[in-house]
């Protein structure tokens, strides 16, 4: 999750300087599968250096590439176009391999033609993809008792996403929610990838779609009980922080909307949602280390929201409601969280009573309450298991989960699409996925213990017995053991080590979860070992694992990744000449920092939408996400934290030395890690590095942080990266 910087106007005189030199030079493609011998290509682009003095926090520094932040400058657009042209020319010799791998990935991506229906408000909802479609059609039919006489009720369309997306280069359907009476559906759409959503409402019976004039919405809204009142969140126009909750009347112009809450603390963001019981609307103010929730009876939409428990440092909580009880997940005296209950009339902390105790090192991520049961998702060592408690006697009920490494979760599926919407149900829906197990969907009857497989994603191309999953450990410099998950094909193991791709993230408490990744098999089947490095910054070993990889302990993430790489080589798993690291967003920071610290360790780096200009970004409160994430990265207003950030920020620590080969990507409309961060990073790398290894930088001019929309939107980029890795592995230089 990241972003970047402000604007500096640069004259049109830079336009010519930003273009690639016209002289062609010969390219010798790296020896390997799918490569040609010699292809004429353009020279690497050279970004002009225009020193800009940045004054902040009582000091000043000079940035020669700050001008690249002005997205409206023709010189900036010309430079990005030049980088794209150069990257395409370097990839041209391996187009046959790219096409081959794109075909594999497309064929292997599970079609998910029809989902498992789920119950919500008297209907059964499902979605289906037509053959080759990028977007699904969401449908429903009335929920009738099993065995009822008569024909199956007719199906009706809730959202015809292919029709809605027609004519749009980007169409990312976000949150959608039917009204309580079932007559309409509200939904948010991002048309550029910049997280600036527009709100639409569709009349399900007539199909009429209306825009409500809300163009700066966050992906957060909730209907009140009357089905005509809608609460929604607006973003600040510059920082994109969700900061206001408004009350809207369906059919009325948006300038009649009423502001019901504004979050004035810039380190908090707000969200709005409805409880599972549908009886309350919640406004959630969230900070990385604190929280505050307000609640309002859903049948009194013009009433006043009341605070559950006032915010205070180091208290996080979230709530849900079923029956006459609030269920609270909190870190109060429990860093890895526990579950509490509170009476409906007095939901404050003074009345919280423990239901499920904390288990240190096992983070409780999610609570799913029912009338007679409660289920929780519990993470440990990167895997997630589900625990179920019967409320009548607090007896734990064993959920028969598949064996081995993997992730089981009760969370929502596609775009919020999933079960567990009915509070009176005794059936828990969950999904399970592992490195060699495509997603399975199960229904677990908590009353009887019966487990029913509802969907097993087809993967006819996969023979699990041909592959192996292993968990090993690397020892970090401070003695911590870092979990490492390996997936490989034993028949392709080589003496002295295989080509290896190490994937890492290490931030925000987000773990590297060992789930099924069909695109990885295009590498594994060509002899690669695919590695997940569970470095500090995630939640693999509890909240302490997160805290030990953030703020003034951030460098632990980097040294953890270095330890993983060294261990893979020492144990003969990885061929040092063909070992690569890959990270996206905050994971791009991880691999970028390691490239500075140990440029000899990896043969190549893949950095996707990388957060690499940490000092500039965290110093600018106007940049999206900055104020919300000072806890994660540090606040440069503090001299100690500023110095620490400056000591590892990848952009600020590039030196005149040899670097690994690199493939870097960005999205022009990315508001989490703005294109300028990798653009500046690559420009400085081109200026200072002493080697001649390949450095490619591609900006998708029509995408944001998550890439292209649609079911197959990112396949081409994935194939280009995979083909580049295979080619580099085949012609790797001695290191």
């Amino acid at each position: 999750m990241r972003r970047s910087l402000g604007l500096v106007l640069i004259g049109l005189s830079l336009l010519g300087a930003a273009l690639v030199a016209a002289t062609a030079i010969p390219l010798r493609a790296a020896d390997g599968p799918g490569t040609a011998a010699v292809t004429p290509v353009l020279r690497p682009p050279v970004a002009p250096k225009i020193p800009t003095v940045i004054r902040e926090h009582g000091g000043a520094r000079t940035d020669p590439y700050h001008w690249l932040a002005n997205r409206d400058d023709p010189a900036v657009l010309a430079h990005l176009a030049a980088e794209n042209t150069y990257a395409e020319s370097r990839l041209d010799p391996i187009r046959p391999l790219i096409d081959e791998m794109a075909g594999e990935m497309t064929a292997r991506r599970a079609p998910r033609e029809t989902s498992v229906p789920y119950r919500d408000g008297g209907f059964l909802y499902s979605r289906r993809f037509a053959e080759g479609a990028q977007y699904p059609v969401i449908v429903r039919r009335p929920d009738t008792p099993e065995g009822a006489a008569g024909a199956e009720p007719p199906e009706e369309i809730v959202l015809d996403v292919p029709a809605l997306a027609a004519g749009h280069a980007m169409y990312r359907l976000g949150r959608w929610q039917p009204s309580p009476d079932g007559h309409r559906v509200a939904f948010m759409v991002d048309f550029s990838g910049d997280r600036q959503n527009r709100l639409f409402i569709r009349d399900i019976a007539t199909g009429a779609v209306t825009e409500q004039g809300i163009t700066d919405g966050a992906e957060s809204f909730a209907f009140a009980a009357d089905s005509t009142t809608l609460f929604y969140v607006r973003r600040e126009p510059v920082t994109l922080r969700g900061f206001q909750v408004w009350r809207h009347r369906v059919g009325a112009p948006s300038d009649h909307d009423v502001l019901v809450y504004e979050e004035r603390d810039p380190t908090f963001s707000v969200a709005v949602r409805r409880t599972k019981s549908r009886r309350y609307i919640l406004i959630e103010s969230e900070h990385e280390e604190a929280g505050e929730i307000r609640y309002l009876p859903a049948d009194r939409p013009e009433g006043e929201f009341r605070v559950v428990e006032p915010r205070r440092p180091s208290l996080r909580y979230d709530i849900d409601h079923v029956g006459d009880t609030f269920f609270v997940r909190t870190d109060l005296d429990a860093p890895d969280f526990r579950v509490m209950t509170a009476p409906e009339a007095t939901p404050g902390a003074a009345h919280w009573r423990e239901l499920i105790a904390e288990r240190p090192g096992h983070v409780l991520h999610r609570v799913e309450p029912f009338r007679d049961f409660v289920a929780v998702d519990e993470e440990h060592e990167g895997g997630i298991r589900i625990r179920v408690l019967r409320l009548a006697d607090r007896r734990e009920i064993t959920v028969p989960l598949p064996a081995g490494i993997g992730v089981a979760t009760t969370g929502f599926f596609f775009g919020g699409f999933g079960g567990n919407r009915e509070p009176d149900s005794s059936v828990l829906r969950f999904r399970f996925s592992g490195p060699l197990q495509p997603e399975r969907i199960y229904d677990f009857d908590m009353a009887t213990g019966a487990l029913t497989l509802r969907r097993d994603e087809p993967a006819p191309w996969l023979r699990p017995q041909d592959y192996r999953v292993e968990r090993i450990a690397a020892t970090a410099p401070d003695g911590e053991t870092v979990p490492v998950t390996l997936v490989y094909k034993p028949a392709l193991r080589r003496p002295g080590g295989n080509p290896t791709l190490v994937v890492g993230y290490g931030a925000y408490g987000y773990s590297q979860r060992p789930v099924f990744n069909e695109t990885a098999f295009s590498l594994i089947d060509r002899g690669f070992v695919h590695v997940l490095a569970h470095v500090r910054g995630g939640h693999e070993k509890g909240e302490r694992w997160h805290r030990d990889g953030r703020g003034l302990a951030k460098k632990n993430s980097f040294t953890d990744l270095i330890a993983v790489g060294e261990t893979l080589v020492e144990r003969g798993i990885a061929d040092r000449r063909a070992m690569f690291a890959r990270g996206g967003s905050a994971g791009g920071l991880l691999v970028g920092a390691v490239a500075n610290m140990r440029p000899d360790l990896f043969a190549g780096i893949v950095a996707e939408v990388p957060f690499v200009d940490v000092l500039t970004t965290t110093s600018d409160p106007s940049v999206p996400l900055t104020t919300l994430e000072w806890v994660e990265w540090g606040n440069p207003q503090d001299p100690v934290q500023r110095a620490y950030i400056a000591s590892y920020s990848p952009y600020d620590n590039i030196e005149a030395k040899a670097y690994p080969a690199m493939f870097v990507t960005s999205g022009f409309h990315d508001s989490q890690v703005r294109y300028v961060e990798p653009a500046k990073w690559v420009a400085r790398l081109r200026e200072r590095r002493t080697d001649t290894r390949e450095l490619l930088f591609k900006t998708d001019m029509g995408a944001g942080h998550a890439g292209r929309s649609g079911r197959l939107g990112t396949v081409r980029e994935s194939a280009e990266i995979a083909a580049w890795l295979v080619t580099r592995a085949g012609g790797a230089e001695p290191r």
Side-chain angles (χ1 to χ4, degrees):
M1 311 275 291
R2 282 275 23 134
R3 62 287 127 116
S4 197
L5 183 85
L7 303 179
V8 173
L9 294 176
I10 304 295
L12 292 179
S13 60
L14 293 180
L15 183 61
L19 294 173
V20 178
T23 306
I25 59 174
L27 162 69
R28 184 183 186 283
D31 296 332
T35 61
V38 179
T39 304
V41 297
L42 301 172
R43 295 182 184 276
V46 177
K49 295 175 67 175
I50 309 295
T52 302
V53 177
I54 300 174
R55 303 185 185 279
E56 58 199 8
H57 315 307
R61 57 190 174 95
T62 301
D63 187 345
Y65 299 113
H66 191 84
W67 66 273
L68 285 165
N70 185 1
R71 61 184 297 127
D72 298 320
D73 189 336
V76 172
L77 298 176
H79 178 71
L80 296 178
E83 285 282 11
N84 282 348
T85 299
Y86 174 70
E88 292 293 340
S89 74
R90 295 291 295 184
L91 293 171
D92 275 343
I94 63 170
R95 287 294 164 198
L97 180 58
I98 293 171
D99 292 342
E100 177 184 323
M101 299 183 90
E104 289 174 3
M105 293 176 185
T106 299
R108 288 174 171 177
R109 185 150 295 184
R112 303 182 181 90
E113 293 177 355
T114 304
S115 68
V116 180
Y118 71 86
R119 291 178 170 82
D120 185 14
F123 292 92
L124 287 171
Y125 288 83
S126 60
R127 59 157 173 77
R128 60 169 178 259
F129 283 92
E131 184 175 354
Q134 289 277 55
Y135 304 97
V137 176
I138 299 171
V139 298
R140 74 180 186 186
R141 58 180 174 81
D143 182 14
T144 57
E146 291 187 15
E152 187 175 271
E155 181 181 88
E156 57 185 348
I157 293 175
V158 179
L159 289 172
D160 187 344
V161 186
L164 295 169
H168 297 284
M170 165 73 77
Y171 191 93
R172 193 174 300 281
L173 175 66
R175 182 176 175 80
W176 60 274
Q177 183 183 102
S179 59
D181 63 9
H183 292 163
R184 54 178 63 96
V185 58
F187 58 103
M188 286 282 191
V189 179
D190 180 352
F191 288 100
S192 67
D194 64 358
R195 300 186 302 137
Q196 292 276 38
N197 294 284
R198 286 166 59 182
L199 176 69
F200 296 87
I201 294 178
R202 180 180 188 271
D203 185 291
I204 295 175
T206 67
V209 175
T210 58
E211 184 189 343
Q212 300 300 302
I214 299 164
T215 58
D216 54 356
E219 198 176 314
S220 183
F221 58 86
F223 276 107
D226 61 10
S227 295
T228 58
T229 302
L230 188 69
F231 294 93
Y232 67 92
V233 174
R234 274 199 163 120
R235 297 189 188 275
E236 285 183 329
V238 177
T239 70
L240 303 186
R241 176 177 71 97
F243 79 122
Q244 292 178 334
V245 178
W246 290 76
R247 187 176 66 236
H248 173 74
R249 188 80 176 175
V250 174
S254 61
D255 57 8
H256 291 186
D257 294 353
V258 177
L259 177 65
V260 297
Y261 178 73
E262 181 170 357
E263 179 53 69
R264 299 184 181 275
D265 187 331
T267 66
F268 281 74
S269 64
V270 296
V272 64
R273 66 180 179 89
R274 193 172 59 194
T275 61
K276 189 170 185 174
S277 66
R278 304 181 180 87
R279 288 178 51 195
Y280 291 96
I281 305 295
L282 305 178
I283 295 176
E284 300 169 320
S285 292
E286 300 172 320
H287 176 281
E288 197 162 327
E289 287 194 319
E292 183 178 66
I293 297 177
R294 290 166 167 78
Y295 68 109
L296 174 74
D299 59 358
R300 288 183 284 179
E302 297 188 9
E304 183 176 347
F305 282 84
R306 299 169 59 189
V307 174
V308 173
E309 177 65 20
R311 68 185 67 179
R312 60 180 187 267
S314 301
L315 172 63
R316 290 176 291 174
Y317 69 97
D318 50 67
I319 69 172
D320 208 339
H321 179 268
V322 170
D324 59 359
T325 302
F326 281 106
F327 292 81
V328 185
R329 187 187 74 104
T330 180
D331 66 351
L332 178 64
D333 300 323
D336 290 327
F337 289 89
R338 54 181 173 157
V339 180
M340 319 287 275
T341 60
E344 189 175 63
T346 54
H351 303 279
W352 293 354
R353 297 294 179 265
E354 186 174 89
L355 178 64
I356 299 176
E358 177 199 32
R359 293 208 297 176
H362 297 69
V363 178
L364 291 183
H365 276 294
R366 180 181 176 82
V367 179
E368 195 67 72
F370 297 86
R371 182 189 61 196
D372 300 321
F373 304 90
V374 63
V376 296
D377 291 1
E378 183 180 77
E379 177 176 1
H380 180 62
E381 295 282 348
I384 297 181
R385 289 293 182 262
I386 298 170
R387 298 171 60 193
V388 171
L389 198 72
R390 188 167 61 192
L391 295 175
D393 55 9
R394 300 198 174 192
R395 183 174 71 85
E396 187 159 335
I397 299 168
T398 301
V399 181
L401 297 172
I405 295 172
V407 169
T409 177
T410 63
F412 292 152
F413 310 156
F414 169 85
F417 202 94
N420 302 317
R421 305 294 181 92
E422 298 296 313
D424 291 337
S425 177
S426 65
V427 176
L428 175 73
R429 176 159 296 172
F430 69 90
R431 55 179 174 160
F432 177 86
S433 176
L436 301 180
Q437 176 56 64
E439 184 178 87
R440 287 177 171 173
I441 297 176
Y442 293 91
D443 280 349
F444 176 61
D445 192 315
M446 298 175 285
T448 67
L451 183 70
T452 304
L453 177 63
R454 296 299 307 273
R455 183 177 180 86
D456 191 359
E457 291 286 10
W461 53 270
L462 180 68
R463 287 170 48 88
Q465 64 271 27
D466 292 345
Y467 303 87
R468 184 168 299 165
V469 179
E470 288 184 17
R471 174 66 59 81
I472 65 171
T475 302
D478 62 358
E480 279 283 4
T481 55
V482 182
V484 184
T485 303
L486 316 175
V487 186
Y488 61 92
K489 209 166 187 175
L492 299 180
R493 288 295 298 272
R494 305 175 188 173
N498 282 52
T500 299
L501 178 62
V502 184
V503 182
Y505 189 74
Y508 307 104
Y510 295 162
S511 301
Q512 280 286 19
R513 292 178 176 169
V515 297
F516 191 71
N517 176 7
E518 67 270 5
T519 62
F521 288 89
S522 289
L523 291 175
I524 297 169
D525 287 346
R526 289 173 173 83
F528 270 71
V529 178
H530 194 268
V531 177
L532 299 181
H534 304 282
V535 302
R536 276 174 280 190
H539 263 148
E540 281 89 345
K541 294 189 177 184
E543 176 60 18
R544 76 158 183 99
W545 203 245
H546 174 210
R547 292 175 184 268
D548 285 351
R550 74 176 191 190
L552 294 176
K554 184 61 205 170
K555 290 182 183 178
N556 284 334
S557 302
F558 315 144
T559 53
D560 283 358
L561 186 64
I562 291 170
V564 170
E566 291 175 336
T567 298
L568 292 169
V569 173
E570 290 167 2
R571 295 183 59 163
I573 296 168
D575 178 350
R576 189 187 195 95
R577 299 168 303 170
M579 183 170 67
F580 305 89
R582 182 174 186 174
S585 196
L589 161 63
L590 174 69
V591 299
V594 169
N596 283 331
M597 296 168 67
R598 284 291 307 276
D600 62 309
L601 183 57
F602 293 100
I605 297 290
V606 177
E608 299 168 273
V609 293
F611 174 42
V612 284
D613 191 12
V614 188
L615 184 59
T616 301
T617 295
T618 56
S619 296
D620 187 350
S622 71
V623 172
L625 302 179
T626 289
T627 58
L628 303 177
E629 296 184 358
W630 277 332
V631 171
E632 185 70 26
W633 307 112
N635 187 340
Q637 296 173 21
D638 181 320
V640 173
Q641 296 181 48
R642 177 180 174 81
Y644 189 79
I645 293 170
S647 73
Y648 72 74
S649 175
Y651 175 68
D652 297 289
N653 287 278
I654 298 170
E655 298 175 330
K657 60 188 178 186
Y659 278 86
M662 295 188 186
F663 194 133
V664 183
T665 71
S666 72
F668 189 64
H669 298 286
D670 191 342
S671 61
Q672 291 170 261
V673 180
R674 296 180 66 196
Y675 75 90
V676 66
E677 296 205 33
K680 288 172 56 179
W681 185 50
V682 168
R684 180 167 278 179
L685 280 166
R686 292 202 189 283
E687 171 201 348
R688 294 186 178 178
R689 65 191 299 168
T690 61
D691 62 278
T692 58
R693 296 188 182 97
E694 191 160 69
L695 172 55
L696 305 184
F697 175 43
K698 291 192 69 175
T699 300
D700 190 326
M701 303 303 290
H705 197 62
R708 293 275 172 170
S709 61
R711 188 172 66 89
L712 302 174
T714 60
V715 163
R716 193 70 188 176
E717 181 178 302
S718 297
E720 288 181 343
I721 291 171
W724 183 82
L725 289 167
V726 169
T727 305
R728 299 302 303 178
E733 304 164 75
R735 299 182 61 78

